[in-house]
Amino acid sequence: MHPELDWLYSTQLFGIKLGLESVQRLLLELNLPRPGQKFIHVAGTNGKGSTCAFAHAILSAAGINAGIFTSPHLIHFAERIRDSHRQITSEEIETDLARIRHHVRDWDPHPTFFEITLALALDWFAQRGLEWVVLETGLGGRLDATNAITPAAAVITSISLDHTQILGSTLALIAAEKAGIIKPHIPIITLTQTTEALDVITRTAHDRSAPLTVIDTPCDLPLGLPGPHQRWNAALAIAALRATDLHLTPDAITTGLRSVSWPARFQRVTPSLIIDGAHNPDAARVLVQTWREHFPTQKATLIFGAVAGKDIANVLHTLAPIVAEWHLVHIDSPRALSAEELHTILQSIDTSSSPISTHATLKAALQATQNKAPILIAGSLYLAGEALSLLQDKAEAFQRSMQ
């Protein structure tokens, strides 16, 4: 039993409340972060997790025991809070959450799931004596809880349309939310973006006297993650670390980039079964590019599931050219679209003759496709986590999350 973690999951009922007042109060009461801690702060639409993974792997290769905070988890909550040696343990989660729960028991408004999770992470990093932490935003940037931290350097990865109902319906509006992490005189690193997005970032950096680096050349070193887009994420990570007072050797950089591992990013579970968390049109586009690199003459048997609130029609349309068969599933999530809803969307946009099947569960889809390699599982990180839990015989450890 994990009563404190169960309590934390219950706070998801409070929803997502963007704003810094509550998290600033929480961190102040807990005396977090500890003096002397340094952060790499990463925002963006796609590539945040991979960029964090590259930066963390380089720090680890340099002999620095650094923390890393990411979301969502795939199988177990503890994946969100790690250092170079291990994840936070269930016992540590229970002990630290009990203390945080005591602090906030009478708060109105009550802190959200993400705010409490961030406080838990920062507390664990402090207890571990970590000087460096890589911090991924949850949603947006300007009003994201992680923006209560002042970093040593900040990164804005590729920006595209996603979470439009919260962040805005244009690239300029979304870029303004992401650019909210830019702080006065703190180095900010981004990459060549659409003119609309880059103009917002450039203007914000200028207004805040923040040194801006725009990466226009991808990294050409060997990487542990496949796909041409990862070369840009690696370049962002290198530039962010170089913008700080760290002095990293070329060997630490090459070793870190080569050794990095990040689940559900074109992850080969077997030679012919791939899992990818592509959940918006831009992510689907780079997934198609990567698929064609690795399977140039083969189409995929695609197992696809998704949650509501995404541009699913565009994702399906983007994936269609590499799909031999569609297998649509209902994800184990309260936000999931049913297989029948996905079927209706697919029929409205796909005029090909690729056969379509629907399945009540992912387990049923896996059974139906076991002799139809190569298989691609994509559409949501929640689906990726559920798939990994089944394929790695960790179904009992799977912890469903809405955030």
Side-chain angles (χ1 to χ4, degrees):
M1 298 293 291
H2 302 99
E4 301 303 332
L5 186 57
D6 291 342
W7 164 76
L8 177 60
Y9 277 124
S10 75
T11 66
Q12 292 183 335
L13 297 175
F14 297 121
I16 297 171
K17 297 177 183 176
L18 296 177
L20 300 181
E21 184 177 348
S22 180
V23 72
Q24 286 171 335
R25 177 187 174 189
L26 180 58
L27 298 185
L28 182 64
E29 290 203 10
L30 296 173
N31 191 29
L32 296 170
R34 296 292 190 267
Q37 282 190 306
K38 300 172 184 177
F39 296 86
I40 303 294
H41 192 195
V42 182
T45 305
N46 292 314
K48 296 192 302 293
S50 297
T51 301
C52 287
F54 280 123
H56 188 250
I58 292 170
L59 289 168
S60 299
I64 298 169
N65 184 18
I68 179 169
F69 174 76
T70 58
S71 60
H73 64 266
L74 294 176
I75 299 175
H76 191 279
F77 175 84
E79 297 166 21
R80 299 169 182 251
I81 304 169
R82 296 174 288 120
D83 65 14
S84 301
H85 302 306
R86 66 177 179 87
Q87 297 177 348
I88 188 172
T89 66
S90 294
E91 292 75 17
E92 289 168 331
I93 291 171
E94 289 296 300
T95 299
D96 292 353
L97 278 181
R99 187 160 51 85
I100 295 172
R101 184 178 184 178
H102 177 76
H103 268 282
V104 303
R105 64 189 186 281
D106 297 323
W107 283 26
D108 185 19
H110 196 281
T112 64
F113 171 86
F114 190 76
E115 290 167 342
I116 296 167
T117 302
L118 174 64
L120 173 67
L122 295 177
D123 190 48
W124 189 75
F125 296 147
Q127 292 180 47
R128 296 281 285 167
L130 307 181
E131 181 183 5
W132 283 93
V133 173
V134 181
L135 205 61
E136 181 190 12
T137 57
L139 179 63
R142 181 175 65 94
L143 298 176
D144 187 76
T146 59
N147 207 28
I149 303 301
T150 299
V155 177
I156 299 176
T157 66
S158 173
I159 293 175
S160 60
L161 296 175
D162 200 7
H163 299 291
T164 52
Q165 71 278 19
I166 298 173
L167 301 180
S169 58
T170 67
L171 287 177
L173 288 172
I174 293 173
E177 292 299 317
K178 309 294 185 184
I181 72 167
I182 299 174
K183 294 186 171 62
H185 311 292
I186 302 297
I188 177 72
I189 295 87
T190 192
L191 73 169
T192 304
Q193 308 256 11
T194 62
T195 300
E196 194 176 358
L198 190 57
D199 282 351
V200 172
I201 295 169
T202 302
R203 185 169 61 251
T204 306
H206 178 268
D207 291 346
R208 297 176 187 175
S209 301
L212 172 64
T213 300
V214 180
I215 301 295
D216 58 6
T217 305
C219 176
D220 60 359
L221 296 170
L223 305 180
L225 298 179
H229 58 296
Q230 297 294 5
R231 301 199 169 279
W232 291 96
N233 296 329
L236 287 169
I238 294 168
L241 293 171
R242 284 178 171 163
T244 71
D245 58 5
L246 281 167
H247 299 286
L248 298 168
T249 65
D251 183 61
I253 294 172
T254 56
T255 300
L257 294 178
R258 190 171 54 245
S259 65
V260 71
S261 174
W262 198 236
R265 276 67 177 181
F266 208 82
Q267 179 181 357
R268 283 182 182 260
V269 179
T270 71
S272 59
L273 195 159
I274 309 296
I275 296 180
D276 193 279
H279 60 281
N280 58 42
D282 264 25
R285 177 180 53 79
V286 297
L287 171 55
V288 168
Q289 290 176 336
T290 309
W291 180 270
R292 284 173 169 159
E293 274 190 2
H294 291 263
F295 298 94
T297 63
Q298 294 175 285
K299 289 191 174 185
T301 297
L302 177 65
I303 299 176
F304 185 91
V307 297
K310 301 288 183 179
D311 185 1
I312 300 305
N314 207 342
V315 171
L316 293 170
H317 177 74
T318 303
L319 293 175
I322 64 164
V323 176
E325 292 183 20
W326 300 91
H327 291 266
L328 308 175
V329 301
H330 181 268
I331 303 174
D332 183 13
S333 167
R335 294 170 51 203
L337 293 170
S338 70
E340 290 70 29
E341 287 173 310
L342 292 172
H343 189 276
T344 299
I345 297 170
L346 180 58
Q347 283 189 314
S348 71
I349 58 96
D350 184 22
T351 57
S352 72
S353 57
S354 302
I356 304 171
S357 300
T358 58
H359 306 277
T361 65
L362 174 58
K363 190 173 183 179
L366 288 170
Q367 290 172 342
T369 59
Q370 58 186 339
N371 296 317
K372 297 186 176 184
I375 298 167
L376 173 62
I377 300 174
S380 169
L381 282 171
Y382 300 114
L383 174 65
E386 187 180 346
L388 286 170
S389 71
L390 288 172
L391 294 166
Q392 297 175 359
D393 293 324
K394 297 179 179 177
E396 290 185 4
F398 180 63
Q399 295 178 339
R400 186 180 71 176
S401 177
M402 292 186 289
Q403 296 179 32

